Amino acid sequence: MSTIGSNIIRERVHGRRHDLGDGFSVSRVLPAARQPAVGPFVLMDHIGPVTLPAGQALDVPPHPHIGLATVTYLWQGRIEHRDGLGSVQIIEPGAVNWMSAGSGIVHSERTAAADRGKAQTLHGLQLWVALPLDKEQGPASFEHTDANALPTLELDGIRGRVVAGGAYGKRSPVSISSDLFYVDAHVAQGKSLRLPDEHIERAAYVIDGAVHVGNEVISSGELVSFEPGAEASLVADVDTHVVVLGGAPLDGTRYLWWNFVASSEPILDDARDAWRQKRYPMVAGDPEFIPLPEGQHRTLRIEPTDDV
């Protein structure tokens, strides 16, 4: 990969619109052509902010995943998660839903019944973490962590939460299976947030506002990745909301196709066949499902970096 500017910033990525169906779209930040992953994070979708009118709801019908963990975190709104394990959980702002797909899980994401018929603003992130090789074919699981259980950050001009993993001397209680960090921070104008240097791969995504690193300005909706080992601080040009995340490089090649992440193409083939035949446990009480998008997606191959 090329190095930009001052040998601190590695790549810059702008999200692009991605339709989830029913006219609901997100800004897909990862994977990107020159930055397919940051540590174990292989997908980042920025949801909103969007206001759904009273007559519109979020409805993502049951669909399958393998080989990844979905990480859902909101700043506004509520989403009801249901899965084939029998989990039913409404996620609210500041809480974390962590669903580990393992060898296969089916879930839906919808506006809860109690919220239908009301206008609702949704704003948040959904990330995918590629599971380690020894976990990718393991059992599926689901874990919800309330907002008040996440450790808070109170630094000079900075407030935030450690959503997952460890950083800045704090560790989230969310169960993870690989070396990673995910921090949600608000940085006051003129203050700086130093990137944690204990992690190899690191990136920052500006939710709102702007920061600069050296002479490079990072604006709202932009993700930048940083060179391993480089000392870097994000200096807020205005009051800024930013997410910093990363971790250890992937432990092997990954293949991404539709909602599947796998270490080999035969595993993808097996997952496609399993969904065609509905061999995964389905979501109780929800007969809808998203059909396999035959021939509509190309397989993305992600190679681990040689970061040291």
Side-chain angles (χ1 to χ4, degrees):
M1 289 185 179
S2 64
T3 300
I4 298 175
S6 59
N7 294 329
I8 294 176
I9 292 178
R10 172 173 281 195
E11 296 293 346
R12 306 178 72 120
V13 175
H14 291 274
R16 60 266 182 227
R17 301 314 296 174
H18 180 79
D19 187 8
L20 295 181
D22 240 5
F24 189 87
S25 64
V26 297
S27 178
R28 178 149 293 176
V29 183
L30 295 174
R34 297 178 64 88
Q35 187 71 56
V38 178
F41 294 98
V42 295
L43 181 138
M44 173 188 284
D45 279 349
H46 186 176
I47 306 165
V50 60
T51 298
L52 302 178
Q56 183 180 356
L58 172 69
D59 280 303
V60 182
H63 56 282
H65 291 288
I66 65 164
L68 60 89
T70 62
V71 190
T72 307
Y73 180 76
L74 300 177
W75 296 293
Q76 290 177 278
R78 299 174 2 130
I79 297 174
E80 183 177 86
H81 162 97
R82 291 176 178 263
D83 63 42
L85 300 174
S87 312
V88 179
Q89 178 66 56
I90 295 177
I91 184 171
E92 297 182 324
V96 180
N97 275 4
W98 184 286
M99 184 186 75
S100 185
S103 60
I105 194 170
V106 178
H107 78 137
S108 64
E109 296 159 298
R110 299 184 183 272
T111 299
D115 296 331
R116 291 179 182 261
K118 307 173 187 175
Q120 178 179 209
T121 299
L122 284 176
H123 190 203
L125 288 180
Q126 186 171 91
L127 302 171
W128 292 0
V129 174
L131 294 176
L133 293 174
D134 62 350
K135 300 287 196 307
E136 70 164 338
Q137 290 287 286
S141 62
F142 174 79
E143 176 182 284
H144 174 83
T145 303
D146 288 334
N148 59 14
L150 298 181
T152 58
L153 291 179
E154 296 290 344
L155 307 173
D156 181 22
I158 297 162
R159 57 183 175 84
R161 286 191 178 101
V162 179
V163 179
Y168 306 109
K170 303 289 183 73
R171 178 158 290 275
S172 167
V174 173
S175 299
I176 59 175
S177 55
S178 53
D179 178 17
L180 60 82
F181 76 103
Y182 176 6
V183 174
D184 175 32
H186 294 263
V187 186
Q189 182 177 10
K191 299 298 183 178
S192 65
L193 175 65
R194 180 185 171 94
L195 290 178
D197 54 16
E198 67 269 29
H199 296 281
I200 296 173
E201 296 193 1
R202 302 161 299 164
Y205 179 66
V206 177
I207 305 297
D208 185 54
V211 299
H212 66 267
V213 179
N215 295 323
E216 301 276 350
V217 177
I218 308 162
S219 301
S220 177
E222 186 175 14
L223 178 140
V224 297
S225 61
F226 298 89
E227 289 294 336
E231 294 184 2
S233 293
L234 311 173
V235 182
D237 297 327
V238 296
D239 290 349
T240 296
H241 184 189
V242 63
V243 164
V244 292
L245 76 167
L250 292 170
D251 58 353
T253 301
R254 291 299 189 280
Y255 297 87
L256 276 68
W257 185 87
W258 190 40
N259 297 319
F260 302 146
V261 174
S263 61
S264 73
E265 295 195 79
I267 294 177
L268 291 181
D269 291 336
D270 289 345
R272 284 187 278 259
D273 189 57
W275 186 236
R276 288 187 192 102
Q277 300 183 39
K278 301 297 177 292
R279 294 202 305 264
Y280 299 123
M282 301 299 285
V283 178
D286 194 337
E288 288 191 290
F289 64 91
I290 299 177
L292 191 76
E294 306 277 5
Q296 296 179 31
H297 293 265
R298 67 181 181 89
T299 300
L300 174 65
R301 177 172 172 155
I302 299 178
E303 296 290 354
T305 64
D306 57 2
D307 295 334
V308 294

